[in-house]
């Protein structure tokens, strides 16, 4: 009997150890910077060369511990010794030279760039670091189809395929997101330049309306913050100094365990500026954390706070631009005009895998902005609080035995905006006093809200051909409460404005000619919301006859890699037709009336080429070229009594060319040089005034020195505007002179300037 019991005990122990030895090791492979899951990555057991692959969500299972090699085309290889059966989070870093293989999720259905039926550009963290990490314009302007004018660090305007060029003082008609948090306000205005560049992992730009991101007429910009790293802790500190009193400090701290990671980035940037009244101070804090509970559920938090005070030199007339470009506009200098802004945004995203074919992603976010801006004509005070949520279902199914991927979701956004203006009494005080707040001139409380419902599908007709189709439904409304006592000169402007509901469809086809070459075509519809200010008439009424700008985008493109993957290219040809063109007619220094005045036709070609000349262990040399050709015209444009039909679209250069070279020697020395040509552009709707074409060159070198396994130093030096070109970095279209003064069209660009710095990275 004892013998039988001993035998049974021994058998149970063997089974238990056997079961323990066969316990599955589960985990997920992610893009190390963005946090996107990487599907179809190979995992090789180096002891027996057995291979498994991650699924569509980047998840994998291993049957035993050991040393494994994680690989995915477009990413660096990673070898890891897995010694326990805990849930594993594996992060891979992208290879910028294999962009067509990089996983993106601009369409919320993660796939490689080469399989997307839309024109999408990726600006990586490495691309941003090639510049002086102070102004994002340098990185954006290397991207075909994008043009960012930068009158100062706090004065910018971004256009995509010409959309947004008619906005006078900032970026509009382009949707932007910081991960899942909208950056575009309820009136369609967007500000991305204040974010700390060191906190950004990628910028994904979709040209043409995206059904999943509000169908903005120009397209969408999705900023992906740096993801926190798992299973490591490090601190990175950088200090930069440069021309015009530039000084920047940045500290980047990361701490990660096997399932939880946290990143905090602090920066402080100061510049005296090239021009008068150009002082700039900005502090930022960016927080990012990730928490993986199990293979089905994870949670992430994101927060950003920006405190900015920047003085405003404004635009100047042609005589000053030529003879005294460092001068500020006289009234802005006398009033010491500036903006003082605090802004923050916070959000949480929960990912839950309901089953192998269905996933739900839910995001809740809030943001605030408080601004005080003394201008020569008045002082503006604003306070905005926004709240919203975004959810979507992601599904994987079969239709006629072919894969069908789909996403269905909604986004609701509400913001409460309070604004008021006050007299600026700077002329009543001794010169040098600056702005002085006087009596209140206006007092508004505005409620703005929109709702987007979206659906997008991808259907594989065959292994080489896929169809995509989607639709976005938008409902937008404004409510204005004019709280200023009405009078003959200040009528009550309270009222409600509602858009007609807008349906924006999309259809696309992509065909893979070979493993590395694909062709695509798509048709999409987009629109631009009207700001409430544009609907207000001088008599205090709301113009309910205004229509939002709408348009159809038609494009044909190809992307791929040739010559044994040494050459990457992306080319697109498109036509964008915009109807109900919205014109801002200026009635005073700070008063505009909106009017629909016709439509425009945007024809263009975009080309992006990267070629690796040399790629070995000692030397790496890559050359690149991007080219944008714009043929944008007013197809039918009657503004009041003026007929501008057939004229060129205002504020967009005819062509932009970038040529450059990146080099790396022994992984220690790195250098980059970039040449940019910008063609002339019309400044007035009647095309009587054009800017001059100009050429810029930027240069940077760096040296990296590993001190030991945990400490690495990097020193860098750069020159912007190498040949000291005199150019207009931004223009104010259709500027008017008041009181007999000349129109102030021009924002002078910085002359030749230098910067240098050091970066210290310590791994605990």
């Amino acid at each position: 009997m004892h013998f039988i019991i001993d035998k049974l005990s021994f058998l149970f122990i063997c089974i238990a150890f056997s079961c323990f030895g066969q316990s599955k090791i589960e985990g997920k492979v992610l893009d190390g910077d963005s946090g996107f899951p990487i599907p179809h990555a190979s995992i090789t057991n180096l002891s027996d060369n057995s291979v498994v692959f991650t699924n569509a969500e980047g998840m994998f299972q291993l049957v035993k511990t050991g040393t494994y090699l994680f690989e995915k085309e477009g990413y660096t290889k990673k070898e890891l010794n897995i010694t326990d059966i805990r849930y594993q989070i594996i992060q891979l870093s992208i290879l910028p030279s294999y962009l067509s293989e990089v996983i993106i999720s601009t369409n919320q259905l993660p796939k490689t760039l080469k399989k997307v039926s839309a024109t999408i550009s990726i600006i990586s963290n490495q691309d941003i670091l090639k510049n002086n990490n102070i102004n994002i314009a340098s990185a954006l302007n290397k991207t075909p189809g994008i043009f960012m004018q930068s009158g100062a660090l706090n004065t910018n305007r971004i256009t995509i395929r010409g959309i947004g060029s008619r906005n006078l003082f900032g970026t509009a008609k382009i949707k932007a997101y910081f991960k899942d948090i909208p950056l575009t306000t309820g009136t369609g205005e967007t500000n991305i330049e204040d974010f700390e560049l060191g906190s950004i992992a990628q910028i994904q730009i979709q040209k043409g309306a995206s059904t999943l991101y509000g169908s903005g007429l120009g397209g969408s910009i999705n900023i992906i913050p740096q993801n926190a790293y798992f299973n490591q802790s490090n601190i990175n500190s950088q200090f930069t100094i440069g021309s015009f009193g530039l000084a920047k400090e940045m500290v980047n701290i990361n701490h990660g365990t096997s399932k939880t990671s946290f990143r905090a980035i602090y920066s402080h940037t100061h510049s005296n500026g090239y021009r008068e009244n150009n002082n700039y101070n900005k502090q930022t804090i960016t927080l990012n954390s990730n928490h993986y509970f199990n293979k089905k559920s994870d949670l992430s938090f994101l927060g950003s706070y920006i405190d900015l005070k920047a003085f405003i030199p404004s635009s100047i007339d042609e005589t000053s631009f030529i003879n005294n470009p460092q001068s500020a506009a006289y009234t802005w200098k006398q009033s010491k005009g500036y903006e003082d802004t605090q802004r923050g945004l916070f959000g949480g995203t929960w990912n839950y895998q309901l089953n192998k074919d269905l996933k739900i992603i839910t995001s809740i976010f809030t943001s605030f902005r408080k601004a005080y801006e003394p201008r020569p004509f008045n002082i503006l005070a604003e306070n905005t609080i926004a709240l919203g949520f975004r959810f979507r279902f992601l599904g994987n199914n079969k239709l006629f035995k072919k894969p069908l991927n789909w996403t269905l979701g909604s986004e609701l956004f509400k913001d409460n905006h309070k604004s008021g203006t006050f007299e600026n009494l700077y002329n009543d005080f001794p010169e040098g006093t600056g702005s002085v707040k006087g009596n209140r001139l206006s007092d508004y409380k505005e409620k703005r809200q929109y709702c987007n419902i979206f659906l997008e599908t991808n259907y594989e007709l065959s292994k080489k051909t896929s169809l995509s189709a989607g639709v976005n439904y938008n409902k937008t409304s404004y409510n204005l409460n004019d709280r200023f006592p009405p009078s003959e000169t200040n009528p009550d402007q309270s009222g409600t404005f509602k858009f007609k509901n807008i349906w924006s469809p999309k259809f696309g086809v992509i065909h893979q000619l070979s493993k590395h070459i694909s062709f695509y075509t798509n048709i999409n519809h987009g629109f631009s919301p009207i700001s409430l200010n544009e609907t207000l008439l001088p008599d205090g009424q709301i113009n309910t006859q205004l229509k939002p700008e709408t348009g159809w985008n038609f494009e044909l493109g190809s992307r791929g890699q040739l010559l044994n993957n040494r050459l990457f290219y992306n080319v697109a040809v498109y036509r964008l037709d915009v109807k109900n063109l919205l014109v801002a007619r200026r009635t005073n220094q700070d008063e505009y009336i909106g009017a629909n005045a016709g439509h425009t036709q945007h024809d263009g070609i975009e080309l992006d080429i990267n070629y690796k000349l040399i790629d070995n262990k000692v030397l790496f040399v890559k050359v690149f070229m991007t080219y944008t050709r714009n043929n944008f015209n007013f197809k039918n444009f009657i503004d009041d009594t003026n007929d501008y039909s057939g004229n060129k679209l205002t504020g967009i250069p005819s062509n932009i060319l970038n040529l450059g070279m990146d080099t790396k020697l022994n992984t220690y020395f790195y250098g980059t040089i970039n040449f940019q040509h910008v063609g002339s552009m019309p400044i007035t709707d009647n095309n009587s005034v054009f800017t001059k074409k100009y050429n810029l060159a930027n240069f940077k070198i760096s040296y990296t020195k590993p001190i030991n396994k945990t400490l690495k130093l990097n020193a860098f030096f750069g020159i912007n505007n190498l040949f000291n070109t005199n150019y207009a970095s931004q223009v104010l279209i259709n500027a008017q002179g008041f009181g007999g003064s000349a129109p102030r069209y021009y924002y002078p660009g910085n002359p030749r300037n230098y910067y240098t710095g050091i970066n210290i990275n310590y791994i605990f």
Side-chain angles (χ1 to χ4, degrees):
M1 186 67 179
H2 289 292
F3 176 76
I4 295 175
I5 294 174
D6 289 341
K7 286 289 187 180
L8 289 174
S9 300
F10 178 75
L11 179 61
F12 287 143
I13 292 171
C14 289
I15 292 174
F17 273 105
S18 176
C19 291
F20 180 78
Q22 296 298 317
S23 294
K24 294 179 180 178
I25 302 169
E26 296 180 319
K28 181 178 284 191
V29 178
L30 305 174
D31 183 305
D33 291 324
S34 66
F36 299 152
I38 300 179
H40 314 304
S42 66
I43 306 170
T44 305
N45 188 324
L46 296 182
S47 63
D48 58 15
N49 291 323
S50 59
V51 181
V52 298
F53 294 90
T54 59
N55 66 9
E57 290 299 319
M59 294 188 291
F60 64 86
Q61 289 185 344
L62 306 175
V63 297
K64 60 181 178 180
T65 59
T67 302
Y68 289 87
L69 180 65
F70 293 80
E71 292 180 277
K72 173 67 178 181
E73 191 170 15
Y75 292 82
T76 56
K77 300 177 183 179
K78 193 167 191 176
E79 185 177 314
L80 286 175
N81 184 23
I82 299 177
T83 59
D84 57 55
I85 61 172
R86 291 181 299 174
Y87 193 78
Q88 303 289 324
I89 302 294
I90 311 299
Q91 294 167 302
L92 302 182
S93 301
I94 68 169
L95 291 170
S97 55
Y98 285 83
L99 286 178
S100 64
E101 303 295 337
V102 171
I103 303 298
I104 65 167
S105 69
T106 297
N107 60 356
Q108 293 297 319
L109 301 171
K111 57 174 61 178
T112 58
L113 179 60
K114 69 181 180 183
K115 294 184 178 180
V116 178
S117 61
T119 303
I120 295 175
S121 295
I122 297 175
I123 300 174
S124 68
N125 179 259
Q126 293 94 324
D127 294 326
I128 295 173
L129 295 179
K130 290 176 184 177
N131 305 289
N132 62 1
N133 82 345
I134 304 296
N135 192 339
I136 200 172
S138 298
L140 287 180
N141 285 335
K142 293 178 185 177
T143 306
I146 313 298
F147 186 54
M148 180 174 179
Q149 300 185 51
S150 182
L153 291 175
N154 60 314
T155 304
N156 301 275
R157 179 168 63 246
I158 301 171
T159 60
I160 300 179
R161 293 182 171 177
I163 300 300
S165 66
R166 300 193 61 80
N167 198 55
L168 298 180
F169 301 112
T171 299
K173 304 178 184 180
I174 295 169
K175 299 285 289 185
Y177 289 78
F178 192 62
K179 200 172 184 180
D180 273 339
I181 303 175
L183 299 177
T184 305
T185 67
T187 58
E189 297 178 350
T190 298
N191 183 298
I192 69 171
E193 54 267 22
D194 293 339
F195 285 99
E196 169 51 48
L197 298 186
S199 69
I200 297 174
Q202 285 182 19
I203 302 175
Q204 298 183 2
I205 303 170
Q206 178 162 336
K207 289 161 258 187
S210 167
T211 55
L212 299 178
Y213 288 106
S215 290
L217 189 57
S220 60
I221 300 175
N222 199 349
I223 299 176
I224 310 300
Q226 269 199 8
N227 199 37
Y229 297 150
F230 292 91
N231 296 309
Q232 76 173 65
S233 297
N234 68 288
I235 181 170
N236 186 292
S237 180
Q238 181 171 299
F239 180 68
T240 305
I241 57 174
S243 302
F244 318 125
L246 173 66
K248 177 178 178 179
E249 310 92 41
M250 184 178 69
V251 178
N252 187 333
I253 300 173
N254 177 88
H255 174 67
T257 63
S258 60
K259 289 188 178 182
T260 299
S261 61
F262 173 82
R263 183 182 293 276
I265 301 174
Y266 167 80
S267 70
H268 176 219
T269 304
H270 169 81
S271 173
N272 296 330
Y274 163 60
R275 300 176 60 196
E276 298 173 330
N277 203 56
N278 203 185
N279 193 276
Y280 179 91
N281 273 290
K282 181 181 71 173
Q283 295 188 79
T284 72
I285 299 175
T286 308
L287 306 175
N288 194 357
S289 67
N290 300 281
H291 312 270
Y292 282 83
F293 302 115
N294 51 53
K295 64 181 181 180
K296 289 188 174 184
S297 180
D298 65 82
L299 185 66
S300 63
F301 294 99
L302 178 65
S304 175
Y305 175 76
I306 299 167
D307 187 354
L308 169 70
K309 185 173 183 180
F311 286 78
I312 303 172
S314 195
S315 56
I316 54 178
D317 60 39
E318 185 175 15
T319 301
S320 299
F321 172 66
I322 295 173
N323 300 316
N324 190 19
Q326 69 270 25
S327 64
Y330 177 78
T331 54
W332 285 86
K333 179 182 176 181
Q334 294 300 106
S335 63
K336 297 184 178 180
Y338 65 89
E339 66 167 312
D340 189 357
T341 305
Q342 296 80 43
R343 96 187 250 226
L345 54 88
F346 309 91
T349 300
W350 178 49
N351 293 267
Y352 186 73
Q353 193 77 35
L354 295 170
N355 55 53
K356 66 182 182 65
D357 296 321
L358 187 60
K359 181 179 182 179
I360 183 172
I361 304 176
T362 304
S363 300
I364 299 175
F365 50 84
T366 184
S367 62
F368 72 87
R369 180 178 182 270
K370 184 178 181 181
Y372 185 78
E373 185 175 340
R375 295 93 62 91
F377 37 85
N378 63 33
I379 295 175
L380 173 66
E382 296 180 293
N383 197 339
T384 305
I385 298 178
L387 181 67
F389 76 91
R390 180 179 173 90
F391 80 90
R392 56 264 191 219
F393 292 96
L394 279 72
N396 300 287
N397 301 101
K398 297 280 187 179
L399 181 64
F400 304 117
K401 298 182 180 180
K402 302 289 186 180
L404 172 68
N405 300 321
W406 55 270
T407 179
L408 171 66
S410 178
E411 177 181 300
L412 177 65
F413 178 91
K414 292 185 176 183
D415 66 11
N416 292 312
H417 178 72
K418 296 179 182 179
S419 66
T421 55
F422 301 84
E423 293 177 322
N424 193 337
L425 305 178
Y426 72 95
N427 275 326
D428 298 339
F429 289 81
E431 185 173 344
T433 302
S435 295
V436 178
K437 186 176 179 181
N439 293 327
R440 179 180 284 274
L441 301 174
S442 65
D443 186 8
Y444 296 111
K445 184 176 181 181
E446 187 180 339
K447 293 183 179 180
R448 311 179 292 210
Q449 68 177 27
Y450 68 76
C451 175
N452 287 312
I453 300 174
F454 50 84
L455 169 67
E456 186 161 319
T457 62
N458 285 289
Y459 181 60
E460 291 188 16
L461 282 176
S462 66
K463 290 184 178 180
K464 292 187 175 182
T465 305
S466 297
L467 304 179
S468 67
V471 64
N472 178 280
Y473 167 81
N474 178 272
K475 184 175 183 179
T476 300
S477 64
Y478 304 137
N479 180 271
L480 178 66
N481 179 15
D482 187 348
R483 302 185 294 182
F484 194 76
S487 66
E488 291 185 5
T489 56
N490 288 286
D492 186 356
Q493 301 189 91
S494 300
T496 299
F497 182 85
K498 292 184 179 180
F499 289 100
K500 290 182 65 177
N501 301 337
I502 298 177
W503 293 87
S504 296
K506 168 192 172 182
F507 180 78
V509 181
I510 186 164
H511 176 74
Q512 285 191 259
L513 190 64
S514 65
K515 180 181 178 182
H516 295 295
I517 299 176
S518 60
F519 290 87
Y520 63 90
T521 184
N522 72 75
I523 303 172
N524 53 66
H525 178 271
F527 76 99
S528 297
I530 306 169
S531 71
L532 189 55
N533 289 338
E534 291 170 321
T535 69
L536 298 178
L537 296 172
D539 61 1
Q541 301 300 308
I542 291 180
N543 183 1
T544 58
Q545 302 303 311
L546 277 183
K547 298 178 181 179
E549 294 179 348
T550 60
W552 285 92
N553 182 75
F554 309 86
E555 67 182 300
L556 177 67
S558 176
R559 65 172 67 90
Q561 296 186 187
L562 303 170
L563 305 178
N564 197 25
N565 292 335
R566 298 175 72 89
L567 178 104
F568 168 80
Y569 77 92
N570 194 343
V571 60
V573 181
Y574 67 90
R575 166 167 289 182
L576 174 59
D577 285 316
V578 180
K579 295 182 179 180
N580 302 320
L581 180 69
L582 196 63
V583 175
R585 292 175 181 156
R586 192 166 194 166
T587 59
N588 207 332
Q589 289 194 69
D590 192 37
E591 293 180 1
Y592 301 86
I593 298 175
N596 294 120
H599 71 270
T600 57
Q601 181 174 296
H602 305 230
D603 294 332
I605 299 174
E606 299 165 0
L607 177 64
D608 185 357
I609 297 176
N610 288 270
Y611 179 64
K612 290 185 289 184
L613 282 173
I614 303 173
D615 187 7
N616 56 51
K617 293 181 179 180
V618 177
L619 181 63
F620 174 84
V621 179
K622 182 183 77 172
V623 294
F624 60 87
M625 180 186 79
T626 65
Y627 178 69
T628 303
R629 179 67 183 178
N630 300 321
N631 184 21
F632 303 159
N633 297 287
F634 295 116
K635 193 72 174 178
N636 177 27
F637 181 18
I638 300 176
D639 184 11
D640 201 9
T641 60
N642 300 309
D643 188 350
Y644 301 130
S645 302
N647 286 1
K648 295 183 179 296
L649 180 65
T650 322
I652 295 295
S654 56
N655 58 87
I656 303 173
L657 172 68
N658 281 281
L659 299 172
M661 180 173 66
D662 297 332
T663 61
K664 184 182 290 186
L665 178 63
N666 292 326
T667 71
Y668 296 143
F669 290 95
Y670 173 80
T672 182
I673 187 167
N674 178 65
F675 168 84
Q676 182 184 70
H677 168 80
V678 178
S680 63
M681 73 179 90
I683 306 178
T684 57
D685 289 339
N686 62 14
N687 287 184
S688 62
V689 182
F690 279 73
T691 64
K692 293 182 179 180
K693 59 185 178 181
Y694 62 86
N695 301 314
L696 295 176
N698 299 325
F699 169 74
K700 182 180 180 179
I701 56 172
S702 66
Y703 174 72
T704 300
K705 176 64 175 177
I707 304 302
N708 50 46
K709 292 183 178 180
T710 61
L711 182 63
K712 183 167 66 174
L713 302 180
N714 173 263
F716 54 88
F717 172 78
I719 305 174
N720 294 323
N721 194 359
L722 189 62
F723 302 114
N724 204 30
T725 300
N726 181 25
Y727 70 105
S729 57
Q730 185 169 335
V731 296
L732 180 61
I733 67 169
N734 298 316
Q736 297 181 21
F738 292 91
S741 60
R744 298 189 289 109
Y745 294 121
Y746 304 99
Y747 291 84
N750 289 342
R752 183 189 297 117
N753 58 94
Y754 310 85
Y755 62 93
T756 185
I758 187 169
N759 182 293
I760 302 173
N761 185 54
Y762 181 77
I763 301 175
F764 293 95

